[in-house]
Amino acid sequence: VRDVACNEHMEHQFAAGYESGEIAIWDKRINRAACDIRIKAHNNLNNAQARSVAWHPIRRELLASGGTDYFCRVWDINQPTAERFSVQTIAQVSVTKWRPKPPGGGQICELVTAASTGFDLSVHIWDVFRPHIPIYSTKGHTDVVTDVAWYRREHATLLTVSRDCTLRATTLTHP
């Protein structure tokens, strides 16, 4: 297992990303060996891994995953055979998070990704409806970013940590 995430809207449900590229969704109320849903999220000829999973903060059926196949994908667990959205990145994805709801409402359609290699040390924010170019990128770390978080669920302050032993707080001025 490479990552696990609990669904905030359904406290009994959690997802796990595997080195096989699959995502499994479990119901902890049921004690059994098999998962409820299995998604072939990042399976391809290159043995891609599902490195990161993140539940949508509002829509309980949406799950994002990032993998070593250079993709971040969004899945509707009610229809898990086809991805809803995908973003192709320039490096393997090790961290995937949703951006919190913007002030004044609006829909949440932005994903944060961090690469798992030293090739790209930036953290990118993507709009899933316009997935070809990130809407925001942060720089500053000198080694791989290992995790990201939003400061107190704020829409504009992104915290990043890296193997360079630093924590950076970036206030986003665009979107």
Side-chain angles (χ1 to χ4, degrees):
V1 176
R2 297 300 295 209
D3 194 22
V4 66
C6 297
N7 189 337
E8 293 181 23
H9 304 286
M10 299 175 71
E11 64 185 32
H12 59 276
Q13 192 174 56
F14 65 96
Y18 291 86
E19 289 186 357
S20 66
E22 293 182 322
I23 297 171
I25 299 168
W26 302 82
D27 184 333
K28 72 177 186 178
R29 298 173 299 182
I30 303 169
N31 187 13
R32 63 174 177 225
C35 62
D36 297 321
I37 301 169
R38 187 170 297 277
I39 301 170
K40 295 186 181 211
H42 298 277
N43 273 348
N44 63 23
L45 299 176
N46 297 323
N47 297 319
Q49 301 173 5
R51 290 265 178 99
S52 181
V53 290
W55 290 99
H56 193 279
I58 295 175
R59 302 209 29 214
R60 68 183 183 180
E61 74 279 5
L62 295 183
L63 178 69
S65 65
T68 59
D69 60 353
Y70 296 64
F71 274 93
C72 182
R73 303 176 195 275
V74 177
W75 307 93
D76 181 335
I77 64 166
N78 296 323
Q79 301 171 347
T81 57
E83 64 195 39
R84 289 281 305 269
F85 306 101
S86 67
V87 173
Q88 185 170 9
T89 65
I90 63 169
Q92 298 178 1
V93 179
S94 65
V95 179
T96 304
K97 303 277 172 123
W98 288 96
R99 189 173 186 183
K101 188 173 182 177
Q107 63 180 336
I108 297 173
C109 58
E110 295 170 357
L111 286 166
V112 180
T113 62
S116 62
T117 65
F119 174 77
D120 181 16
L121 301 177
S122 302
V123 173
H124 303 287
I125 299 174
W126 304 86
D127 182 336
V128 296
F129 296 113
R130 295 178 298 187
H132 304 294
I133 299 173
I135 58 173
Y136 198 90
S137 295
T138 67
K139 297 184 185 276
H141 286 292
T142 59
D143 205 343
V144 174
V145 173
T146 55
D147 206 3
V148 300
W150 294 96
Y151 181 70
R152 296 188 181 186
R153 297 188 181 258
E154 287 182 17
H155 182 69
T157 304
L158 180 65
L159 304 172
T160 59
V161 292
S162 167
R163 286 189 193 152
D164 64 12
C165 299
T166 63
L167 178 144
R168 297 181 60 84
T170 305
T171 301
L172 306 177
T173 57
H174 181 273

